[in-house]
């Protein structure tokens, strides 16, 4: 079993939240889905072996906009989402996920958390850690993805 914290859209602010930092310390992986280049740099320094990331449209970087991560036989596609028009629909991202054989597509950009399952392909937006105050906690168990949105306000 592997545990993953998925965050996005920090926009210059990583909350000084004890529960969040404890989750970072205790998870196996941290995924940052963009719009938080400064926070990505901080997380790279603090958790160099745990962090996987992409840059978003507000980061001013075009070098890492997508990546594929395989954990325990589960294939994750990470993107910020702006190139897939996720504010309108999950369709383009869904098609990309099918094309590459992903089990789960993760994106940010929308700032509202959601977990959707389209015939076995999960599409997850952890929301904005800064604005919605949410992230996604995932576990990979026996090639299955268990995901929950966590709200830091509650």
């Amino acid at each position: 079993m592997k545990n993953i914290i998925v965050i996005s859209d920090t926009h210059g602010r990583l909350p000084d939240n004890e529960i969040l930092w404890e989750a970072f310390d205790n998870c196996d992986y941290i995924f940052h889905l963009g719009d938080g280049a400064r926070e990505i740099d901080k997380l790279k320094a603090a958790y160099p072996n745990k962090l996987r990331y992409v840059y978003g449209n507000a980061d001013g970087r075009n070098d890492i906009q997508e990546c594929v991560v395989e954990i325990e036989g589960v294939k994750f596609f990470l993107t910020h989402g702006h190139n897939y028009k996720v504010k309108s629909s999950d369709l383009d991202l869904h098609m990309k996920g099918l094309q590459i054989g992903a089990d789960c597509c993760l994106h940010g950009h929308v700032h509202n958390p959601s977990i959707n399952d389209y015939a076995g392909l999960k599409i997850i937006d952890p929301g904005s850690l800064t604005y919605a105050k949410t992230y996604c906690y995932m576990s990979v168990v026996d090639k299955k993805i268990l995901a929950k949105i966590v709200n830091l306000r509650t």
Side-chain angles (χ1 to χ4, degrees):
M1 177 171 81
K2 297 293 182 188
N3 297 312
I4 306 161
I5 303 295
V6 185
I7 64 174
S8 189
D9 295 276
T10 49
H11 292 282
R13 293 171 291 231
L14 257 174
D16 187 21
N17 182 294
E18 187 176 320
I19 293 169
L20 178 65
W21 286 95
E22 189 174 312
F24 288 159
D25 289 342
N26 292 312
C27 71
D28 298 295
Y29 294 93
I30 302 166
F31 294 167
H32 194 304
L33 304 177
D35 280 1
R38 283 185 283 170
E39 296 77 51
I40 289 170
D41 288 342
K42 287 179 188 175
L43 290 168
K44 276 198 282 191
Y47 304 103
N49 298 320
K50 290 184 181 187
L51 183 67
R52 306 297 183 270
Y53 62 92
V54 295
Y55 291 113
N57 59 301
D59 288 325
R61 307 258 326 242
N62 292 323
D63 53 334
I64 304 171
Q65 295 210 341
E66 302 178 348
C67 78
V68 174
V69 178
E70 191 162 329
I71 297 171
E72 305 257 319
V74 174
K75 190 174 189 178
F76 294 94
F77 177 68
L78 283 61
T79 183
H80 183 61
H82 61 291
N83 292 327
Y84 293 93
K85 304 177 212 119
V86 295
K87 283 191 176 181
S88 301
S89 142
D90 286 343
L91 182 61
D92 288 352
L93 186 55
H94 182 251
M95 296 304 292
K96 175 68 174 187
L98 292 175
Q99 176 189 14
I100 66 169
D103 298 296
C104 182
C105 295
L106 299 159
H107 72 88
H109 192 54
V110 180
H111 296 188
N112 294 317
S114 63
I115 298 174
N116 296 300
D117 194 317
Y118 300 103
L121 174 61
K122 285 194 185 305
I123 297 182
I124 299 174
D125 178 350
S128 168
L129 194 55
T130 298
Y131 301 117
K133 302 279 190 244
T134 58
Y135 67 92
C136 181
Y137 184 88
M138 291 193 307
S139 294
V140 177
V141 182
D142 296 327
K143 297 188 180 183
K144 292 188 176 118
I145 302 162
L146 307 172
K148 175 181 170 61
I149 299 297
V150 177
N151 190 325
L152 290 175
R153 290 183 181 143
T154 57

